[in-house]
Amino acid sequence: MRNYSTLKRVLVTGGAGFLGSHLCERLVDEGCDVLCVDNFYTGTKANILSLLDHPHFELMRHDITFPLYVEVDEIYNLACPASPIHYQFDPVQTTKTSVHGSINMLGLAKRVKAKILQASTSEVYGDPEVHPQTEDYWGKVNPIGIRACYDEGKRCAETLFFDYHRQHNLKIKVARIFNTYGSNMHPNDGRVVSNFIVQALKGKPITIYGDGRQTRSFCYVSDLVDGLIRLMGTPDEFTGPVNLGNPDEFTMLELAETIKVITGSKSELIFKPLPEDDPVQRQPDISLAHAELGWYPKIPLKDGLVNTISYFENLFKIR
Ligand SMILES: NC(=O)c1ccc[n+]([C@@H]2O[C@H](COP(=O)([O-])OP(=O)(O)OC[C@H]3O[C@@H](n4cnc5c(N)ncnc54)[C@H](O)[C@@H]3O)[C@@H](O)[C@H]2O)c1
């Protein structure tokens, strides 16, 4: 028998990270009892500072590659370093976090009959041959390259989710998240939006890899969190995978120029060779998310960048 509280008990793994901290905040705001589990590999307490004293928020330092025994109704499995700098630092641990971590969280969901959502990634599509990517595209991933610990780890996690669903009737949801940006991003994680903003704010040269014509689509964090919560709320028959991202495409050059204009930075643009296995183009087809979740991103890139830049300005106490 469950306790007397009528609040929905929600576990967020990786809750002290960029996306996780925003998700925890939103869930607490919605009246959930939130348990944030994090090993602080890339996340920080600073990201969830405003929640620490909240009566419906609890923080647990724990590595999900080890089993966890808690009583919850829903699990958002976000734990995993997400930027190449961080996930390539200890690639074996990265794969373990996706694979062992998923096994542990799926085992927990099975034991307590919780619904569980996996934060998967557009990286499961690898360097795609179809454009934009729909969920039925199987991807083109190098299984032995330096990005494989992340890409293949996430692919295997998806496999585990679907096997637990088929074999044990687990209620699963799989979100394939495309590039997302916003406050609480790690300033040194090498992701393109944070890189460009930090370089522009510090007046350093803005580093563009390749010729800058490769495109990416960027989703603002509040839109993404809204998508995750909507996905969790879908009927049990709907498992995904479902793409969540902003289909508006921008070249790296356009992104750099927009950031320069907003920050008023005089930084010059410098060009470096493309990293190994870096996809040339990536853009989500979000028709499924629109049809099943009624979801589409609302925040235009410029507005999201203004908020994100102001976060980094405060972080560096530039003004
Ligand atoms: N941000 C994006 O653009 C993006 C895109 C696609 C997928 N995702 C996925 O969303 C999730 C969150 O990404 P993010 O951008 O917030 O990254 P992040 O690095 O900011 O957050 C990941 C969090 O997981 C924690 N963590 C890592 N390994 C752990 C472990 N073994 N046990 C417990 N905690 C652990 C980290 O300390 C951190 O707080 C990740 O699973 C990532 O793969 C993010």
Side-chain angles (χ1 to χ4, degrees), residues 14 16-20 37-43 62-65 78-82 93 97 119-122 150 154 177-180 191:
F18 159 50
L19 296 182
V37 162
D38 207 295
N39 69 351
F40 298 116
Y41 178 63
T42 49
H62 174 80
D63 184 325
I64 63 154
T65 61
L78 271 62
C80 186
Q93 172 68 9
T97 295
S120 190
T121 169
S122 56
Y150 184 72
K154 289 285 188 180
I177 302 170
F178 284 67
N179 264 338
T180 303
R191 285 192 248 189

PDB file of all heavy atoms in Angstrom, residues 14 16-20 37-43 62-65 78-82 93 97 119-122 150 154 177-180 191, ligand 1:
ATOM      1  N   GLY A  14      19.534  12.226 -13.436  1.00  0.00           N
ATOM      2  CA  GLY A  14      20.222  13.323 -14.133  1.00  0.00           C
ATOM      3  C   GLY A  14      19.537  14.652 -13.866  1.00  0.00           C
ATOM      4  O   GLY A  14      19.663  15.597 -14.641  1.00  0.00           O
ATOM      5  N   ALA A  16      20.095  17.030 -11.863  1.00  0.00           N
ATOM      6  CA  ALA A  16      20.886  18.240 -11.578  1.00  0.00           C
ATOM      7  C   ALA A  16      21.590  18.744 -12.831  1.00  0.00           C
ATOM      8  O   ALA A  16      22.381  19.687 -12.778  1.00  0.00           O
ATOM      9  CB  ALA A  16      21.903  17.953 -10.470  1.00  0.00           C
ATOM     10  N   GLY A  17      21.304  18.113 -13.957  1.00  0.00           N
ATOM     11  CA  GLY A  17      21.916  18.548 -15.225  1.00  0.00           C
ATOM     12  C   GLY A  17      21.104  19.645 -15.882  1.00  0.00           C
ATOM     13  O   GLY A  17      20.148  20.187 -15.298  1.00  0.00           O
ATOM     14  N   PHE A  18      21.470  19.964 -17.098  1.00  0.00           N
ATOM     15  CA  PHE A  18      20.815  21.055 -17.833  1.00  0.00           C
ATOM     16  C   PHE A  18      19.310  20.786 -18.007  1.00  0.00           C
ATOM     17  O   PHE A  18      18.461  21.497 -17.450  1.00  0.00           O
ATOM     18  CB  PHE A  18      21.556  21.239 -19.170  1.00  0.00           C
ATOM     19  CG  PHE A  18      20.787  21.928 -20.244  1.00  0.00           C
ATOM     20  CD1 PHE A  18      20.132  23.132 -19.996  1.00  0.00           C
ATOM     21  CD2 PHE A  18      20.733  21.399 -21.533  1.00  0.00           C
ATOM     22  CE1 PHE A  18      19.420  23.783 -21.007  1.00  0.00           C
ATOM     23  CE2 PHE A  18      20.034  22.036 -22.543  1.00  0.00           C
ATOM     24  CZ  PHE A  18      19.364  23.222 -22.277  1.00  0.00           C
ATOM     25  N   LEU A  19      18.957  19.748 -18.741  1.00  0.00           N
ATOM     26  CA  LEU A  19      17.538  19.479 -18.985  1.00  0.00           C
ATOM     27  C   LEU A  19      16.833  19.035 -17.701  1.00  0.00           C
ATOM     28  O   LEU A  19      15.708  19.448 -17.421  1.00  0.00           O
ATOM     29  CB  LEU A  19      17.362  18.382 -20.040  1.00  0.00           C
ATOM     30  CG  LEU A  19      17.851  18.674 -21.450  1.00  0.00           C
ATOM     31  CD1 LEU A  19      17.551  17.493 -22.365  1.00  0.00           C
ATOM     32  CD2 LEU A  19      17.175  19.931 -21.986  1.00  0.00           C
ATOM     33  N   GLY A  20      17.516  18.182 -16.927  1.00  0.00           N
ATOM     34  CA  GLY A  20      16.910  17.619 -15.722  1.00  0.00           C
ATOM     35  C   GLY A  20      16.492  18.697 -14.730  1.00  0.00           C
ATOM     36  O   GLY A  20      15.419  18.607 -14.118  1.00  0.00           O
ATOM     37  N   VAL A  37      17.820  12.361  -8.773  1.00  0.00           N
ATOM     38  CA  VAL A  37      18.974  11.492  -8.528  1.00  0.00           C
ATOM     39  C   VAL A  37      20.088  11.887  -9.491  1.00  0.00           C
ATOM     40  O   VAL A  37      19.849  12.000 -10.690  1.00  0.00           O
ATOM     41  CB  VAL A  37      18.555  10.017  -8.746  1.00  0.00           C
ATOM     42  CG1 VAL A  37      19.760   9.130  -8.949  1.00  0.00           C
ATOM     43  CG2 VAL A  37      17.725   9.524  -7.576  1.00  0.00           C
ATOM     44  N   ASP A  38      21.279  12.116  -8.953  1.00  0.00           N
ATOM     45  CA  ASP A  38      22.374  12.560  -9.820  1.00  0.00           C
ATOM     46  C   ASP A  38      23.707  12.204  -9.163  1.00  0.00           C
ATOM     47  O   ASP A  38      23.823  12.232  -7.943  1.00  0.00           O
ATOM     48  CB  ASP A  38      22.292  14.087 -10.011  1.00  0.00           C
ATOM     49  CG  ASP A  38      22.900  14.539 -11.324  1.00  0.00           C
ATOM     50  OD1 ASP A  38      24.133  14.373 -11.503  1.00  0.00           O
ATOM     51  OD2 ASP A  38      22.169  15.032 -12.186  1.00  0.00           O
ATOM     52  N   ASN A  39      24.690  11.861  -9.987  1.00  0.00           N
ATOM     53  CA  ASN A  39      26.024  11.611  -9.419  1.00  0.00           C
ATOM     54  C   ASN A  39      26.944  12.823  -9.592  1.00  0.00           C
ATOM     55  O   ASN A  39      28.127  12.751  -9.297  1.00  0.00           O
ATOM     56  CB  ASN A  39      26.668  10.357 -10.036  1.00  0.00           C
ATOM     57  CG  ASN A  39      27.047  10.556 -11.498  1.00  0.00           C
ATOM     58  OD1 ASN A  39      26.683  11.572 -12.101  1.00  0.00           O
ATOM     59  ND2 ASN A  39      27.768   9.619 -12.068  1.00  0.00           N
ATOM     60  N   PHE A  40      26.373  13.923 -10.091  1.00  0.00           N
ATOM     61  CA  PHE A  40      27.095  15.193 -10.282  1.00  0.00           C
ATOM     62  C   PHE A  40      28.303  15.061 -11.199  1.00  0.00           C
ATOM     63  O   PHE A  40      29.300  15.743 -11.024  1.00  0.00           O
ATOM     64  CB  PHE A  40      27.499  15.816  -8.937  1.00  0.00           C
ATOM     65  CG  PHE A  40      26.305  16.142  -8.090  1.00  0.00           C
ATOM     66  CD1 PHE A  40      26.107  15.497  -6.876  1.00  0.00           C
ATOM     67  CD2 PHE A  40      25.366  17.053  -8.508  1.00  0.00           C
ATOM     68  CE1 PHE A  40      24.983  15.761  -6.109  1.00  0.00           C
ATOM     69  CE2 PHE A  40      24.241  17.332  -7.754  1.00  0.00           C
ATOM     70  CZ  PHE A  40      24.047  16.688  -6.543  1.00  0.00           C
ATOM     71  N   TYR A  41      28.200  14.166 -12.155  1.00  0.00           N
ATOM     72  CA  TYR A  41      29.287  14.018 -13.124  1.00  0.00           C
ATOM     73  C   TYR A  41      29.380  15.281 -13.993  1.00  0.00           C
ATOM     74  O   TYR A  41      30.454  15.843 -14.167  1.00  0.00           O
ATOM     75  CB  TYR A  41      29.040  12.768 -13.976  1.00  0.00           C
ATOM     76  CG  TYR A  41      30.084  12.549 -15.044  1.00  0.00           C
ATOM     77  CD1 TYR A  41      31.413  12.325 -14.697  1.00  0.00           C
ATOM     78  CD2 TYR A  41      29.747  12.570 -16.391  1.00  0.00           C
ATOM     79  CE1 TYR A  41      32.374  12.140 -15.675  1.00  0.00           C
ATOM     80  CE2 TYR A  41      30.700  12.380 -17.370  1.00  0.00           C
ATOM     81  CZ  TYR A  41      32.008  12.165 -17.005  1.00  0.00           C
ATOM     82  OH  TYR A  41      32.958  11.993 -17.983  1.00  0.00           O
ATOM     83  N   THR A  42      28.258  15.718 -14.526  1.00  0.00           N
ATOM     84  CA  THR A  42      28.236  17.001 -15.248  1.00  0.00           C
ATOM     85  C   THR A  42      27.233  17.973 -14.625  1.00  0.00           C
ATOM     86  O   THR A  42      27.287  19.164 -14.901  1.00  0.00           O
ATOM     87  CB  THR A  42      27.850  16.810 -16.736  1.00  0.00           C
ATOM     88  OG1 THR A  42      26.679  15.996 -16.797  1.00  0.00           O
ATOM     89  CG2 THR A  42      28.961  16.158 -17.518  1.00  0.00           C
ATOM     90  N   GLY A  43      26.327  17.480 -13.828  1.00  0.00           N
ATOM     91  CA  GLY A  43      25.326  18.350 -13.206  1.00  0.00           C
ATOM     92  C   GLY A  43      25.885  19.010 -11.957  1.00  0.00           C
ATOM     93  O   GLY A  43      26.924  18.597 -11.424  1.00  0.00           O
ATOM     94  N   HIS A  62      23.564   9.681  -6.338  1.00  0.00           N
ATOM     95  CA  HIS A  62      23.566   8.252  -6.643  1.00  0.00           C
ATOM     96  C   HIS A  62      23.979   8.070  -8.104  1.00  0.00           C
ATOM     97  O   HIS A  62      23.615   8.878  -8.959  1.00  0.00           O
ATOM     98  CB  HIS A  62      22.162   7.671  -6.414  1.00  0.00           C
ATOM     99  CG  HIS A  62      22.030   6.238  -6.833  1.00  0.00           C
ATOM    100  ND1 HIS A  62      22.462   5.187  -6.051  1.00  0.00           N
ATOM    101  CD2 HIS A  62      21.518   5.687  -7.962  1.00  0.00           C
ATOM    102  CE1 HIS A  62      22.226   4.041  -6.686  1.00  0.00           C
ATOM    103  NE2 HIS A  62      21.659   4.320  -7.847  1.00  0.00           N
ATOM    104  N   ASP A  63      24.704   7.007  -8.375  1.00  0.00           N
ATOM    105  CA  ASP A  63      25.118   6.679  -9.740  1.00  0.00           C
ATOM    106  C   ASP A  63      24.173   5.581 -10.242  1.00  0.00           C
ATOM    107  O   ASP A  63      24.110   4.497  -9.642  1.00  0.00           O
ATOM    108  CB  ASP A  63      26.573   6.184  -9.692  1.00  0.00           C
ATOM    109  CG  ASP A  63      27.133   5.897 -11.067  1.00  0.00           C
ATOM    110  OD1 ASP A  63      26.370   5.431 -11.946  1.00  0.00           O
ATOM    111  OD2 ASP A  63      28.335   6.122 -11.266  1.00  0.00           O
ATOM    112  N   ILE A  64      23.468   5.853 -11.339  1.00  0.00           N
ATOM    113  CA  ILE A  64      22.437   4.891 -11.775  1.00  0.00           C
ATOM    114  C   ILE A  64      23.011   3.612 -12.376  1.00  0.00           C
ATOM    115  O   ILE A  64      22.257   2.712 -12.733  1.00  0.00           O
ATOM    116  CB  ILE A  64      21.407   5.517 -12.751  1.00  0.00           C
ATOM    117  CG1 ILE A  64      22.075   5.975 -14.045  1.00  0.00           C
ATOM    118  CG2 ILE A  64      20.611   6.613 -12.084  1.00  0.00           C
ATOM    119  CD1 ILE A  64      21.116   6.003 -15.225  1.00  0.00           C
ATOM    120  N   THR A  65      24.347   3.531 -12.496  1.00  0.00           N
ATOM    121  CA  THR A  65      24.903   2.243 -12.926  1.00  0.00           C
ATOM    122  C   THR A  65      24.809   1.221 -11.775  1.00  0.00           C
ATOM    123  O   THR A  65      25.131   0.054 -11.951  1.00  0.00           O
ATOM    124  CB  THR A  65      26.355   2.358 -13.422  1.00  0.00           C
ATOM    125  OG1 THR A  65      27.172   2.834 -12.360  1.00  0.00           O
ATOM    126  CG2 THR A  65      26.459   3.301 -14.600  1.00  0.00           C
ATOM    127  N   LEU A  78      17.069  10.628 -17.453  1.00  0.00           N
ATOM    128  CA  LEU A  78      17.871  11.605 -18.203  1.00  0.00           C
ATOM    129  C   LEU A  78      19.364  11.460 -17.923  1.00  0.00           C
ATOM    130  O   LEU A  78      20.173  12.126 -18.578  1.00  0.00           O
ATOM    131  CB  LEU A  78      17.438  13.034 -17.842  1.00  0.00           C
ATOM    132  CG  LEU A  78      16.316  13.658 -18.672  1.00  0.00           C
ATOM    133  CD1 LEU A  78      15.023  12.875 -18.531  1.00  0.00           C
ATOM    134  CD2 LEU A  78      16.081  15.103 -18.258  1.00  0.00           C
ATOM    135  N   ALA A  79      19.741  10.674 -16.929  1.00  0.00           N
ATOM    136  CA  ALA A  79      21.151  10.625 -16.542  1.00  0.00           C
ATOM    137  C   ALA A  79      22.011  10.119 -17.691  1.00  0.00           C
ATOM    138  O   ALA A  79      21.762   9.037 -18.215  1.00  0.00           O
ATOM    139  CB  ALA A  79      21.323   9.722 -15.323  1.00  0.00           C
ATOM    140  N   CYS A  80      22.971  10.908 -18.078  1.00  0.00           N
ATOM    141  CA  CYS A  80      23.954  10.551 -19.104  1.00  0.00           C
ATOM    142  C   CYS A  80      24.637  11.845 -19.544  1.00  0.00           C
ATOM    143  O   CYS A  80      23.941  12.823 -19.849  1.00  0.00           O
ATOM    144  CB  CYS A  80      23.288   9.922 -20.346  1.00  0.00           C
ATOM    145  SG  CYS A  80      24.495   9.319 -21.547  1.00  0.00           S
ATOM    146  N   PRO A  81      25.969  11.868 -19.554  1.00  0.00           N
ATOM    147  CA  PRO A  81      26.607  13.076 -20.084  1.00  0.00           C
ATOM    148  C   PRO A  81      26.215  13.224 -21.546  1.00  0.00           C
ATOM    149  O   PRO A  81      26.154  12.239 -22.282  1.00  0.00           O
ATOM    150  CB  PRO A  81      28.103  12.792 -19.923  1.00  0.00           C
ATOM    151  CG  PRO A  81      28.218  11.323 -19.774  1.00  0.00           C
ATOM    152  CD  PRO A  81      26.926  10.827 -19.194  1.00  0.00           C
ATOM    153  N   ALA A  82      25.941  14.468 -21.980  1.00  0.00           N
ATOM    154  CA  ALA A  82      25.347  14.636 -23.303  1.00  0.00           C
ATOM    155  C   ALA A  82      26.259  15.337 -24.301  1.00  0.00           C
ATOM    156  O   ALA A  82      25.974  15.341 -25.490  1.00  0.00           O
ATOM    157  CB  ALA A  82      24.042  15.410 -23.166  1.00  0.00           C
ATOM    158  N   GLN A  93      32.329   4.452 -19.002  1.00  0.00           N
ATOM    159  CA  GLN A  93      31.292   4.871 -18.036  1.00  0.00           C
ATOM    160  C   GLN A  93      30.060   5.408 -18.780  1.00  0.00           C
ATOM    161  O   GLN A  93      28.924   5.217 -18.342  1.00  0.00           O
ATOM    162  CB  GLN A  93      31.866   5.925 -17.074  1.00  0.00           C
ATOM    163  CG  GLN A  93      30.855   6.593 -16.150  1.00  0.00           C
ATOM    164  CD  GLN A  93      30.254   5.669 -15.077  1.00  0.00           C
ATOM    165  OE1 GLN A  93      30.702   4.540 -14.890  1.00  0.00           O
ATOM    166  NE2 GLN A  93      29.216   6.150 -14.402  1.00  0.00           N
ATOM    167  N   THR A  97      26.450   3.991 -18.258  1.00  0.00           N
ATOM    168  CA  THR A  97      25.330   4.812 -17.773  1.00  0.00           C
ATOM    169  C   THR A  97      24.095   4.560 -18.622  1.00  0.00           C
ATOM    170  O   THR A  97      22.989   4.407 -18.105  1.00  0.00           O
ATOM    171  CB  THR A  97      25.712   6.307 -17.771  1.00  0.00           C
ATOM    172  OG1 THR A  97      26.765   6.495 -16.828  1.00  0.00           O
ATOM    173  CG2 THR A  97      24.540   7.189 -17.388  1.00  0.00           C
ATOM    174  N   ALA A 119      15.259   9.488 -22.064  1.00  0.00           N
ATOM    175  CA  ALA A 119      15.756  10.621 -22.846  1.00  0.00           C
ATOM    176  C   ALA A 119      16.745  10.066 -23.863  1.00  0.00           C
ATOM    177  O   ALA A 119      17.930   9.919 -23.587  1.00  0.00           O
ATOM    178  CB  ALA A 119      16.444  11.633 -21.931  1.00  0.00           C
ATOM    179  N   SER A 120      16.233   9.693 -25.038  1.00  0.00           N
ATOM    180  CA  SER A 120      17.122   9.249 -26.105  1.00  0.00           C
ATOM    181  C   SER A 120      17.540  10.478 -26.910  1.00  0.00           C
ATOM    182  O   SER A 120      17.330  11.616 -26.471  1.00  0.00           O
ATOM    183  CB  SER A 120      16.426   8.199 -26.971  1.00  0.00           C
ATOM    184  OG  SER A 120      17.360   7.601 -27.845  1.00  0.00           O
ATOM    185  N   THR A 121      18.098  10.251 -28.055  1.00  0.00           N
ATOM    186  CA  THR A 121      18.748  11.364 -28.738  1.00  0.00           C
ATOM    187  C   THR A 121      18.677  11.223 -30.252  1.00  0.00           C
ATOM    188  O   THR A 121      18.596  10.107 -30.784  1.00  0.00           O
ATOM    189  CB  THR A 121      20.230  11.433 -28.297  1.00  0.00           C
ATOM    190  OG1 THR A 121      20.923  12.344 -29.147  1.00  0.00           O
ATOM    191  CG2 THR A 121      20.919  10.089 -28.404  1.00  0.00           C
ATOM    192  N   SER A 122      18.785  12.344 -30.921  1.00  0.00           N
ATOM    193  CA  SER A 122      18.889  12.343 -32.379  1.00  0.00           C
ATOM    194  C   SER A 122      20.162  11.636 -32.836  1.00  0.00           C
ATOM    195  O   SER A 122      20.281  11.246 -33.991  1.00  0.00           O
ATOM    196  CB  SER A 122      18.900  13.778 -32.893  1.00  0.00           C
ATOM    197  OG  SER A 122      19.956  14.495 -32.282  1.00  0.00           O
ATOM    198  N   TYR A 150      28.362   7.003 -26.808  1.00  0.00           N
ATOM    199  CA  TYR A 150      27.098   7.726 -26.586  1.00  0.00           C
ATOM    200  C   TYR A 150      26.001   7.199 -27.518  1.00  0.00           C
ATOM    201  O   TYR A 150      24.945   6.770 -27.070  1.00  0.00           O
ATOM    202  CB  TYR A 150      27.335   9.220 -26.819  1.00  0.00           C
ATOM    203  CG  TYR A 150      26.135  10.098 -26.539  1.00  0.00           C
ATOM    204  CD1 TYR A 150      25.713  10.337 -25.234  1.00  0.00           C
ATOM    205  CD2 TYR A 150      25.437  10.703 -27.576  1.00  0.00           C
ATOM    206  CE1 TYR A 150      24.615  11.161 -24.972  1.00  0.00           C
ATOM    207  CE2 TYR A 150      24.342  11.525 -27.329  1.00  0.00           C
ATOM    208  CZ  TYR A 150      23.939  11.748 -26.015  1.00  0.00           C
ATOM    209  OH  TYR A 150      22.848  12.561 -25.779  1.00  0.00           O
ATOM    210  N   LYS A 154      22.968   4.821 -26.337  1.00  0.00           N
ATOM    211  CA  LYS A 154      21.576   5.281 -26.399  1.00  0.00           C
ATOM    212  C   LYS A 154      20.728   4.334 -27.258  1.00  0.00           C
ATOM    213  O   LYS A 154      19.548   4.119 -26.984  1.00  0.00           O
ATOM    214  CB  LYS A 154      21.514   6.693 -26.976  1.00  0.00           C
ATOM    215  CG  LYS A 154      22.047   7.762 -26.035  1.00  0.00           C
ATOM    216  CD  LYS A 154      21.056   8.049 -24.916  1.00  0.00           C
ATOM    217  CE  LYS A 154      21.490   9.236 -24.084  1.00  0.00           C
ATOM    218  NZ  LYS A 154      20.566   9.549 -22.988  1.00  0.00           N
ATOM    219  N   ILE A 177      15.586  13.271 -28.460  1.00  0.00           N
ATOM    220  CA  ILE A 177      15.763  14.714 -28.272  1.00  0.00           C
ATOM    221  C   ILE A 177      16.813  15.238 -29.249  1.00  0.00           C
ATOM    222  O   ILE A 177      17.894  14.653 -29.384  1.00  0.00           O
ATOM    223  CB  ILE A 177      16.200  14.996 -26.812  1.00  0.00           C
ATOM    224  CG1 ILE A 177      15.155  14.442 -25.833  1.00  0.00           C
ATOM    225  CG2 ILE A 177      16.439  16.473 -26.598  1.00  0.00           C
ATOM    226  CD1 ILE A 177      15.612  14.451 -24.375  1.00  0.00           C
ATOM    227  N   PHE A 178      16.469  16.322 -29.919  1.00  0.00           N
ATOM    228  CA  PHE A 178      17.429  17.011 -30.790  1.00  0.00           C
ATOM    229  C   PHE A 178      18.022  18.183 -30.009  1.00  0.00           C
ATOM    230  O   PHE A 178      17.490  18.579 -28.971  1.00  0.00           O
ATOM    231  CB  PHE A 178      16.716  17.500 -32.061  1.00  0.00           C
ATOM    232  CG  PHE A 178      16.433  16.391 -33.043  1.00  0.00           C
ATOM    233  CD1 PHE A 178      15.529  15.376 -32.746  1.00  0.00           C
ATOM    234  CD2 PHE A 178      17.067  16.360 -34.281  1.00  0.00           C
ATOM    235  CE1 PHE A 178      15.273  14.348 -33.651  1.00  0.00           C
ATOM    236  CE2 PHE A 178      16.809  15.347 -35.190  1.00  0.00           C
ATOM    237  CZ  PHE A 178      15.919  14.328 -34.875  1.00  0.00           C
ATOM    238  N   ASN A 179      19.117  18.745 -30.545  1.00  0.00           N
ATOM    239  CA  ASN A 179      19.831  19.862 -29.900  1.00  0.00           C
ATOM    240  C   ASN A 179      18.915  20.804 -29.135  1.00  0.00           C
ATOM    241  O   ASN A 179      18.051  21.449 -29.714  1.00  0.00           O
ATOM    242  CB  ASN A 179      20.495  20.723 -30.984  1.00  0.00           C
ATOM    243  CG  ASN A 179      21.925  20.337 -31.170  1.00  0.00           C
ATOM    244  OD1 ASN A 179      22.531  19.755 -30.271  1.00  0.00           O
ATOM    245  ND2 ASN A 179      22.472  20.651 -32.335  1.00  0.00           N
ATOM    246  N   THR A 180      19.167  20.918 -27.853  1.00  0.00           N
ATOM    247  CA  THR A 180      18.372  21.816 -27.011  1.00  0.00           C
ATOM    248  C   THR A 180      19.328  22.773 -26.305  1.00  0.00           C
ATOM    249  O   THR A 180      20.474  22.419 -26.033  1.00  0.00           O
ATOM    250  CB  THR A 180      17.557  20.995 -25.995  1.00  0.00           C
ATOM    251  OG1 THR A 180      16.747  20.064 -26.732  1.00  0.00           O
ATOM    252  CG2 THR A 180      16.664  21.851 -25.151  1.00  0.00           C
ATOM    253  N   ARG A 191      29.381  22.401 -26.469  1.00  0.00           N
ATOM    254  CA  ARG A 191      28.220  22.385 -27.370  1.00  0.00           C
ATOM    255  C   ARG A 191      28.160  23.728 -28.090  1.00  0.00           C
ATOM    256  O   ARG A 191      28.552  24.766 -27.546  1.00  0.00           O
ATOM    257  CB  ARG A 191      26.934  22.117 -26.585  1.00  0.00           C
ATOM    258  CG  ARG A 191      26.866  20.652 -26.195  1.00  0.00           C
ATOM    259  CD  ARG A 191      25.497  20.276 -25.686  1.00  0.00           C
ATOM    260  NE  ARG A 191      25.539  19.977 -24.268  1.00  0.00           N
ATOM    261  CZ  ARG A 191      24.516  19.451 -23.615  1.00  0.00           C
ATOM    262  NH1 ARG A 191      23.393  19.181 -24.227  1.00  0.00           N
ATOM    263  NH2 ARG A 191      24.604  19.195 -22.333  1.00  0.00           N
TER     264      ARG A 191
HETATM  265  N1  LIG B   1      20.762  18.765 -24.257  1.00  0.00           N
HETATM  266  C1  LIG B   1      20.546  18.218 -25.427  1.00  0.00           C
HETATM  267  O1  LIG B   1      20.591  18.908 -26.449  1.00  0.00           O
HETATM  268  C2  LIG B   1      20.221  16.748 -25.550  1.00  0.00           C
HETATM  269  C3  LIG B   1      20.003  16.221 -26.824  1.00  0.00           C
HETATM  270  C4  LIG B   1      19.700  14.863 -26.943  1.00  0.00           C
HETATM  271  C5  LIG B   1      19.591  14.074 -25.813  1.00  0.00           C
HETATM  272  N2  LIG B   1      19.802  14.612 -24.585  1.00  0.00           N
HETATM  273  C6  LIG B   1      19.719  13.706 -23.432  1.00  0.00           C
HETATM  274  O2  LIG B   1      19.052  14.326 -22.354  1.00  0.00           O
HETATM  275  C7  LIG B   1      19.659  13.924 -21.133  1.00  0.00           C
HETATM  276  C8  LIG B   1      20.072  15.156 -20.344  1.00  0.00           C
HETATM  277  O3  LIG B   1      21.025  15.891 -21.109  1.00  0.00           O
HETATM  278  P1  LIG B   1      21.610  17.273 -20.614  1.00  0.00           P
HETATM  279  O4  LIG B   1      21.845  18.114 -21.810  1.00  0.00           O
HETATM  280  O5  LIG B   1      20.784  17.812 -19.508  1.00  0.00           O
HETATM  281  O6  LIG B   1      23.041  16.799 -20.086  1.00  0.00           O
HETATM  282  P2  LIG B   1      23.768  17.093 -18.699  1.00  0.00           P
HETATM  283  O7  LIG B   1      25.141  16.553 -18.811  1.00  0.00           O
HETATM  284  O8  LIG B   1      23.612  18.531 -18.338  1.00  0.00           O
HETATM  285  O9  LIG B   1      22.909  16.241 -17.687  1.00  0.00           O
HETATM  286  C9  LIG B   1      23.126  14.882 -17.445  1.00  0.00           C
HETATM  287  C10 LIG B   1      23.009  14.656 -15.955  1.00  0.00           C
HETATM  288  O10 LIG B   1      23.177  13.266 -15.689  1.00  0.00           O
HETATM  289  C11 LIG B   1      24.066  13.123 -14.588  1.00  0.00           C
HETATM  290  N3  LIG B   1      24.698  11.800 -14.707  1.00  0.00           N
HETATM  291  C12 LIG B   1      25.586  11.372 -15.639  1.00  0.00           C
HETATM  292  N4  LIG B   1      25.901  10.095 -15.439  1.00  0.00           N
HETATM  293  C13 LIG B   1      25.189   9.693 -14.351  1.00  0.00           C
HETATM  294  C14 LIG B   1      25.094   8.479 -13.634  1.00  0.00           C
HETATM  295  N5  LIG B   1      25.791   7.392 -14.009  1.00  0.00           N
HETATM  296  N6  LIG B   1      24.277   8.419 -12.552  1.00  0.00           N
HETATM  297  C15 LIG B   1      23.564   9.501 -12.162  1.00  0.00           C
HETATM  298  N7  LIG B   1      23.627  10.688 -12.789  1.00  0.00           N
HETATM  299  C16 LIG B   1      24.425  10.780 -13.881  1.00  0.00           C
HETATM  300  C17 LIG B   1      25.030  14.277 -14.714  1.00  0.00           C
HETATM  301  O11 LIG B   1      25.718  14.594 -13.511  1.00  0.00           O
HETATM  302  C18 LIG B   1      24.094  15.390 -15.165  1.00  0.00           C
HETATM  303  O12 LIG B   1      23.507  16.051 -14.071  1.00  0.00           O
HETATM  304  C19 LIG B   1      20.825  13.016 -21.478  1.00  0.00           C
HETATM  305  O13 LIG B   1      20.418  11.681 -21.349  1.00  0.00           O
HETATM  306  C20 LIG B   1      21.099  13.336 -22.920  1.00  0.00           C
HETATM  307  O14 LIG B   1      21.635  12.247 -23.605  1.00  0.00           O
HETATM  308  C21 LIG B   1      20.128  15.928 -24.431  1.00  0.00           C
END
